[in-house]
Amino acid sequence: MSLSICVLGSGSAGNCTVATLQSHQRRHLMIDAGLSPRATAARLEPLGLTIDDIGDILLTHLDRDHFHPGWARVVPTLGISVHLHLRHRDLAHHYGFPPAQLQPFRDGVDLGSGARAQGVLLPHDQMGSVGYVLEHDGVRLGLATDLGRDTGALDDHFRNLDALAIESNYDRTMLMASPRPPFLKRRIMGGLGHLSNDQSLAIAQRIAQRSSLSHIVLLHLSRQCNEPGIVRSLYARCAADLLDRLTISSQHTPSPILAVESGRRPQMVLFGEMQD
Ligand SMILES: [Zn+2]
């Protein structure tokens, strides 16, 4: 029995994480499908997987970088179940998703074989996004991205986790100094956009106090307004005790396969090149 994850890519050009649940059989699901089916297939190949191996997709929301429209065509032919919050269902229909493949939920979804995903509504633009606690055989992964601001909503649900994946979108100084127009800066920082590195760290530290995290995976770093080196320095300065379990995801290069183990120290199964 085990749970492992690999962030195939994360950033404004596409987000997708593969989770592998191992019990009497292996199952693979994706959290978000923001890379095209072709790009996803190319990044699955080194893992020995194809998109035919994906049984379920959990969507955080339907922004283009989390849901590539190419999946609306692929999902019916492969028989993939797409799980999303009820509030996103109509938009998914509008984007051409076949209703038969959609499995809308209000609180969470039973994935079978002892696996469950609990949804947590988070502020992000008009429609909001959904964070997930994916639990398999007592091992718990929390994943949240595009969460606008720290409302404390995660505190109730992201407890006793064994791994945390959370966005760490921008460095405030870099964003302020960037040539981005004022309306865009307001959208990102105004509470319905993304988390800064500092906000993300504050949440990660609170969750770490109530968990035994084997991994902290940072998602959705802005290419223009963030750098992995800045994030690492922040952790070294303010959360040195968490540095040994930190993985910073990349837009272009899949993360290592991270084995999520109950209450264990970090383990990496396979090493990949990390760059932004
Ligand atoms: Zn996004």
Side-chain angles (χ1 to χ4, degrees):
M1 299 276 196
S2 68
L3 168 64
S4 63
I5 58 167
C6 174
V7 182
L8 296 186
S10 186
S12 58
N15 293 272
C16 181
T17 295
V18 173
T20 296
L21 316 177
Q22 172 89 51
S23 49
H24 53 281
Q25 61 183 44
R26 287 179 96 196
R27 296 177 54 193
H28 309 278
L29 58 89
M30 297 193 335
I31 304 176
D32 280 336
L35 303 169
S36 71
R38 181 181 297 198
T40 304
R43 295 186 191 197
L44 285 173
E45 193 183 350
L47 308 180
L49 299 176
T50 70
I51 57 175
D52 301 74
D53 294 312
I54 304 298
D56 300 88
I57 295 175
L58 301 169
L59 293 176
T60 61
H61 61 304
L62 289 165
D63 282 355
R64 171 66 180 72
D65 56 327
H66 297 262
F67 160 68
H68 188 287
W71 285 97
R73 292 190 300 274
V74 168
V75 152
T77 59
L78 298 180
I80 297 173
S81 296
V82 178
H83 308 276
L84 78 177
H85 194 271
L86 263 173
R87 69 161 55 174
H88 295 140
R89 180 184 55 188
D90 291 348
L91 193 58
H93 288 170
H94 176 72
Y95 286 162
F97 237 114
Q101 304 304 133
L102 292 181
Q103 311 272 334
F105 64 82
R106 191 180 300 278
D107 300 313
V109 52
D110 186 346
L111 295 163
S113 310
R116 179 173 171 79
Q118 183 72 32
V120 187
L121 282 173
L122 301 166
H124 182 66
D125 293 333
Q126 279 191 328
M127 300 292 285
S129 69
V130 176
Y132 287 101
V133 174
L134 178 61
E135 182 162 356
H136 175 58
D137 192 36
V139 179
R140 288 162 58 85
L141 160 75
L143 184 147
T145 186
D146 300 53
L147 57 151
R149 62 187 182 276
D150 181 3
T151 61
L154 290 181
D155 294 5
D156 289 337
H157 298 276
F158 280 32
R159 294 172 174 273
N160 301 317
L161 297 183
D162 301 295
L164 169 69
I166 187 166
E167 79 163 330
S168 190
N169 184 251
Y170 65 91
D171 172 77
R172 189 178 162 81
T173 305
M174 286 183 76
L175 179 60
M176 294 304 289
S178 76
R180 292 182 167 184
F183 83 87
L184 188 53
K185 293 180 183 177
R186 279 198 299 275
R187 186 236 153 200
I188 294 167
M189 297 193 296
L192 293 177
H194 293 279
L195 290 186
S196 70
N197 293 335
D198 297 302
Q199 292 167 327
S200 171
L201 173 61
I203 296 173
Q205 284 180 303
R206 290 207 308 271
I207 291 170
Q209 283 172 1
R210 297 192 300 267
S211 299
S212 182
L213 297 176
S214 56
H215 295 284
I216 297 174
V217 184
L218 300 184
L219 304 170
H220 218 312
L221 269 70
S222 164
R223 204 177 327 173
Q224 192 178 28
C225 302
N226 211 349
E227 287 174 11
I230 286 179
V231 180
R232 283 196 183 281
S233 313
L234 178 67
Y235 269 73
R237 236 178 19 253
C238 304
D241 55 319
L242 301 179
L243 203 51
D244 66 341
R245 65 210 68 185
L246 192 65
T247 297
I248 299 177
S249 66
S250 153
Q251 182 70 81
H252 303 293
T253 308
S255 75
I257 297 172
L258 306 171
V260 181
E261 307 230 352
S262 185
R264 295 272 184 82
R265 302 295 291 172
Q267 269 196 16
M268 290 185 185
V269 176
L270 182 76
F271 289 85
E273 188 188 356
M274 300 298 293
Q275 60 187 34
D276 187 38

